[in-house]
């Protein structure tokens, strides 16, 4: 006898990228920042008193929310702190989408979204991107016609790395009947100004997702936050969030990391430089990728190459280099490769050169 | 315009106990362990390298689950590690109870349960406890007649501290058509053997909830776990759980804490001793409480006292001592008081003596 709900019984879970624990593998498969977090994080660890874990943590992460609010020029009431971006995605669905109502995404998109929709028993409306990975002109109309209640848009896009025109976002928010959740997990790696957080004052239907996993080199910490108008933040804060969702130590580490903008920005600029160099070098090997504003490249393997994307994935893995091969429509001939350090990228390039020789 | 789902709009969130950050307040309101966590926790903090937070954490907390499995003589596949007990409660509802299906509880019970039921839009079936806080004989029948899908039973009971007869649990599990989730947040403070974890081999419908918040002095860490037959654990592990639900550092701390059984047990025995002494001393002040097997007492304030429970709560608060006054049916004349250290309990007693004089 199975106790599972029918929708849960039928679904498959999220398949995360491989996480080998040995230090010898070069991990270019899950878009971690290749540089260490702020030295301030070590200081937090050095001064933290284990005894203080005896008590419950600050319930609403008020200090972190204050710092994030200052950074983005919004009020702390416009900010919710969450256990990674994942928790914010779940809370948005739990709070705003009834079972049976539709959730809208692009195809392709971050592969977690359909999983979260299935858990809430929500049909997913998928709108294919154009051949150049751009959003179709009538995207908002398609969402509205399908009565979508929540549109999930990852921008810069995963797994392609492409970025929406800034002006397009405001138009989208105006045109959509639904909430527009902008998953900005990779926003820190965008070149030039792209001030989406300002849009929450104009648009009561935008939720911005941020994470410390990539831009602040803290994937292991599980800390993210959401920015939105207060009527969207408040019910997630006060009703649907697990009470005490963030442990004490994580809050202190996140505070230290977000305060050290200078350190974080240095890592972003290095990644941007290396992204440019890696893309050019891969092109030299016959491997193309669309312009990326994220910390990864979606690399096409042409038929002329003699090896399939799956072959190359496997051969790299044998040489202890992990990249990501999703497969599926439009992605079968592609590999997603995270930007590493200069040395790591050089090692990848020389290994690819051997494999393709 | 509100985007909230109707059930969310109508509900109120969970009201957690006050968490003052100043160190001068004597906190006897949220059942924290009064003794510090294992010294091994400090060692983890001292040796942890901040740089390792750059990578994603171990996705399934395999090492912690192995240690918990060993402790409870079950398989790691019978264990799920969660962000506090809260996450396990949420996952059990998400995985096994469709919106509109009933969740069963006693009245009174842990006040979070009805909140979690409302989030999933599930009616709650409340069965009042008897006058001595015992479970009615026909509890399982009442649950079955109401077609309850998940029965949430906190044992030792909150907020009374009373414990079910051990033999009763197996009978309940057999009689119930639903899953029986035993919330054992306070189980470590039970005197004598009470091996409920053995029951998961006999009963495919029992989920046991454990937390490191109380027994291991780690409320600030947010770490708990569930023990059950594999068909109950597996869908929560592989489908409904947030991917990477537990950060890297929390996992290491939890591993160290659960390994140091000797330290934890010492704190349990001290709490048990103090529980006995505090209960007798309160009785001397005219304040009765049912036999408690938890780390708190539910203290009745008799009318003859001249002060109401709410008055005493307030007067204690003015003197920087926090206890919990819930109010509501059957609880209006009662205070829930956590067991502190010898010194803390002495301070509480002398302050109460002044107030009641």
């Amino acid at each position: 006898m199975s106790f599972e709900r029918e929708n849960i019984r039928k679904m498959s879970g999220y398949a995360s990228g491989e996480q080998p624990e040995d230090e010898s593998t070069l991990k270019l498969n899950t878009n971690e920042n290749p540089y260490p977090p702020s030295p301030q994080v070590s200081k937090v660890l050095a001064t933290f008193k284990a005894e203080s874990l005896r008590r419950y943590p600050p319930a609403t992460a008020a200090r972190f929310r204050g710092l994030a609010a200052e950074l983005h020029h919004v009020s702390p009431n416009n900010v919710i702190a969450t256990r990674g971006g994942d928790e914010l995605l779940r809370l948005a669905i739990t709070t705003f989408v009834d079972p049976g109502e539709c959730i809208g995404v692009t195809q392709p998109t971050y592969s977690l979204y359909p999983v979260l929709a299935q858990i809430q028993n929500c049909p997913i409306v998928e709108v294919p991107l154009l051949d150049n990975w751009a959003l179709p002109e009538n995207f908002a109309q398609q969402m509205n016609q399908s009565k979508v209640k929540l549109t999930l848009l990852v921008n810069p896009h995963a797994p392609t790395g492409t970025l929406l025109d800034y002006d397009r976002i405001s138009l989208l928010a105006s045109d959509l009947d639904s909430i527009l959740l902008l998953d900005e997990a990779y926003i820190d790696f965008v070149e030039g100004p792209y001030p989406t957080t300002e849009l929450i004052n104009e648009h009561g239907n935008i939720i911005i997702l941020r994470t410390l996993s990539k831009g602040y080199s803290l994937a292991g910490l599980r800390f993210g936050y959401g920015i939105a108008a207060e009527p969207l933040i408040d019910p997630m804060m006060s009703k649907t969030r697990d009470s005490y969702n963030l442990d004490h130590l994580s809050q202190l580490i996140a505070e230290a990391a977000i305060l050290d903008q200078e350190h974080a920005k240095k890592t972003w600029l290095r990644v941007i430089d290396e992204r440019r160099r890696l893309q050019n070098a891969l092109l030299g090997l016959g491997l193309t990728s669309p312009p990326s504003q994220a910390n990864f490249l979606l690399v096409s393997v042409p038929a002329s190459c003699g090896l399939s994307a799956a072959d190359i994935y496997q051969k790299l893995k044998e040489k202890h280099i992990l990249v990501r091969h999703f497969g599926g429509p439009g992605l079968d001939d592609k590999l997603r490769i995270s930007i590493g350090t200069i040395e790591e990228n050089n090692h990848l390039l020389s290994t690819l050169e051997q494999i393709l020789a």
Side-chain angles (χ1 to χ4, degrees), chain A:
Chain A
M1 170 184 184
S2 166
F3 285 102
E4 281 174 79
R5 294 166 61 199
E6 200 187 334
N7 58 313
I8 306 294
R9 196 166 43 74
K10 283 183 182 163
M11 68 178 278
S12 305
Y14 173 68
S16 56
E18 295 156 273
Q19 304 290 2
E21 290 197 35
D22 71 293
E23 297 286 320
S24 67
T25 299
L26 173 50
K27 276 190 86 266
L28 300 174
N29 65 330
T30 51
N31 301 338
E32 284 126 333
N33 192 318
Y35 302 103
S38 161
Q40 300 304 318
V41 170
S42 302
K43 285 196 188 156
V44 169
L45 287 169
T47 57
F48 185 78
K49 288 199 172 33
E51 196 182 323
S52 65
L53 287 175
R54 194 179 67 72
R55 287 196 176 185
Y56 280 92
T60 63
R63 263 194 299 264
F64 176 85
R65 288 166 51 230
L67 294 173
E70 209 170 310
L71 179 66
H72 298 295
H73 311 294
V74 297
S75 147
N77 293 335
N78 296 126
V79 180
I80 181 172
T82 56
R83 182 59 54 193
D86 284 9
E87 186 185 4
L88 182 66
L89 291 168
R90 174 169 51 73
L91 290 179
I93 293 174
T94 304
T95 311
F96 303 114
V97 194
D98 268 316
E101 291 183 332
C102 291
I103 293 173
V105 300
T106 63
Q107 206 294 309
T109 192
Y110 178 28
S111 56
L112 178 65
Y113 299 159
V115 175
L116 295 174
Q118 282 173 298
I119 293 173
Q120 183 77 341
N121 209 1
C122 291
I124 199 117
V125 174
E126 288 183 324
V127 171
L129 295 177
L130 305 181
D131 281 347
N132 63 351
W133 307 113
L135 212 55
E137 266 311 309
N138 66 349
F139 179 76
Q141 288 69 33
Q142 289 195 56
M143 291 288 136
N144 293 343
Q145 274 163 19
S146 302
K147 297 208 187 329
V148 161
K149 293 297 289 274
L150 175 67
T151 303
L152 300 172
L153 216 54
V154 52
N155 185 50
H157 182 256
T160 69
T162 55
L163 186 73
L164 275 178
D165 278 343
Y166 183 75
D167 297 338
R168 183 76 190 274
I169 295 175
S170 191
L171 291 175
L172 265 180
S174 298
D175 289 346
L176 281 169
D177 296 336
S178 73
I179 294 174
L180 172 61
L181 190 148
L182 293 168
D183 182 341
E184 299 191 341
Y186 301 104
I187 201 80
D188 297 317
F189 306 106
V190 170
E191 281 184 276
Y194 199 82
T196 48
T197 50
E198 291 175 4
L199 297 175
I200 67 150
N201 298 313
E202 287 167 55
H203 298 283
N205 65 335
I206 287 185
I207 300 175
I208 291 174
L209 177 155
R210 295 289 187 112
T211 176
L212 273 62
S213 293
K214 322 288 180 183
Y216 296 85
S217 310
L218 289 169
L221 186 68
R222 317 308 304 126
F223 209 101
Y225 57 105
I227 309 171
E230 214 177 318
L232 293 179
I233 293 293
D234 182 64
M236 296 193 286
M237 277 295 289
S238 65
K239 296 178 183 177
T240 50
R241 181 178 61 97
D242 284 350
S243 54
Y244 306 113
N245 60 330
L246 293 159
D247 68 276
H248 198 159
L249 196 44
S250 295
Q251 292 187 38
L252 296 174
I253 291 173
E255 290 161 23
I258 203 173
L259 258 176
D260 193 353
Q261 286 293 309
E262 198 185 326
H263 173 88
K265 277 183 185 154
K266 243 186 267 170
T267 73
W268 307 343
L269 291 175
R270 285 188 195 167
V271 166
I272 290 170
D273 280 349
E274 275 299 285
R275 179 173 68 203
R276 202 178 292 125
R277 185 178 77 92
L278 185 64
Q279 188 167 39
N280 284 331
L282 288 169
L283 198 59
L285 296 174
L287 304 173
T288 58
S289 50
S292 169
Q293 293 286 318
N295 68 338
F296 55 82
L297 297 170
L298 187 70
V299 177
S300 290
V301 179
S304 62
C305 190
L307 290 170
S308 71
D311 290 339
I312 296 178
Y313 161 81
Q314 199 53 48
K315 284 182 185 292
L316 284 171
K317 189 173 176 177
E318 281 159 20
K319 293 179 186 293
H320 306 288
I321 298 177
L322 281 180
V323 299
R324 194 90 190 252
H325 180 244
F326 292 98
L331 296 174
D332 221 36
D333 63 336
K334 295 179 179 66
L335 296 170
R336 195 195 62 188
I337 302 178
S338 310
I339 312 295
T341 62
I342 299 177
E343 296 74 24
E344 289 172 342
N345 298 333
N346 285 342
H347 179 48
L348 168 76
L349 286 166
S350 63
T351 309
L352 273 174
E353 218 166 340
Q354 286 171 31
I355 290 172
L356 296 173

